[in-house]
Amino acid sequence: MMLRVFVTLKPSVLDPQGMTIQKTLAGLGYSQVEEVRQGKYFEIRWAGDLSAREERDKVETIVARVLSNPVIEGYRIEWPQEIPA
Amino acid sequence: MMLRVFVTLKPSVLDPQGMTIQKTLAGLGYSQVEEVRQGKYFEIRWAGDLSAREERDKVETIVARVLSNPVIEGYRIEWPQEIPA
């Protein structure tokens, strides 16, 4: 099963990389770009059965402890369509 | 208006960063993780009217030329819900 994970900086955390992209685009004439925030995106192929609650808990643990830094980042997991949120 | 952009390596391109994450997770006992592919995720606040075709073309240009490397990466743009795909 394929799941997708989005890791983004918390709103209160400065994003210098995104600010650089925004300034670069403004310099290229794209003044419509008011703000850019860059995050990470992961596609994970999972062998277990994600309809089981304990399997989903394992995914949560991985995302919260390995793929993101809970001090400055938040995350969102997009489960396969057949799994209820 | 807020739009989201996903930039991912083309399927034929090796992802050493994703492979390292997969191996690390396997070492931690998460053998269910068969594959990890890491991509980039951008949230862009756009001042223009994205219902206009030419504004959307500008976004496409930015994503294809500045935010991604078309030689090795593909991208997907998620428009605001009120905009038809």
Side-chain angles (χ1 to χ4, degrees), chain B residues 3 5 16 19-20 24 29-30 39 50 56 74:
Chain B
L3 49 99
V5 176
M19 289 163 71
T20 301
T24 301
Y30 295 107
L50 289 170
R56 294 205 299 282

Side-chain angles (χ1 to χ4, degrees), chain B residues 47-66:
Chain B
D49 177 10
L50 289 170
S51 62
R53 178 78 235 173
E54 62 174 23
E55 287 289 295
R56 294 205 299 282
D57 286 347
K58 282 180 196 165
V59 174
E60 287 266 356
T61 303
I62 287 172
V63 174
R65 299 205 187 151
V66 182

Side-chain angles (χ1 to χ4, degrees), chain B residues 21-77:
Chain B
I21 295 169
Q22 184 271 326
K23 279 183 198 138
T24 301
L25 291 172
L28 291 170
Y30 295 107
S31 56
Q32 301 94 331
V33 180
E34 292 184 323
E35 190 185 19
V36 177
R37 307 268 301 169
Q38 179 162 1
K40 285 176 284 185
Y41 170 62
F42 300 93
E43 290 177 346
I44 299 175
R45 198 146 45 83
W46 187 267
D49 177 10
L50 289 170
S51 62
R53 178 78 235 173
E54 62 174 23
E55 287 289 295
R56 294 205 299 282
D57 286 347
K58 282 180 196 165
V59 174
E60 287 266 356
T61 303
I62 287 172
V63 174
R65 299 205 187 151
V66 182
L67 299 184
S68 70
N69 174 351
V71 178
I72 57 167
E73 292 172 324
Y75 62 84
R76 184 163 68 81
I77 300 171

Side-chain angles (χ1 to χ4, degrees), chain B residues 1-12:
Chain B
M1 286 172 153
M2 184 69 84
L3 49 99
R4 291 165 223 280
V5 176
F6 308 86
V7 176
T8 47
L9 288 168
K10 291 183 179 172
S12 59

Side-chain angles (χ1 to χ4, degrees), chain A residues 3 5 7 44 46 50 53-70 75 77 79, chain B residues 25 28-30 32-33:
Chain A
L3 51 99
V5 176
V7 176
I44 299 176
W46 188 268
L50 289 169
R53 178 76 234 173
E54 62 173 25
E55 286 290 294
R56 294 205 298 282
D57 286 347
K58 282 180 195 166
V59 173
E60 287 265 358
T61 303
I62 288 173
V63 173
R65 299 205 188 152
V66 183
L67 299 184
S68 70
N69 175 352
Y75 63 83
I77 301 171
W79 302 102
Chain B
L25 291 172
L28 291 170
Y30 295 107
Q32 301 94 331
V33 180

Side-chain angles (χ1 to χ4, degrees), chain A residues 6 32 34-35 39 41 45 47, chain B residues 6 32 34 39 41 45 47:
Chain A
F6 308 86
Q32 301 95 330
E34 291 183 323
E35 189 186 18
Y41 170 62
R45 198 146 46 82
Chain B
F6 308 86
Q32 301 94 331
E34 292 184 323
Y41 170 62
R45 198 146 45 83

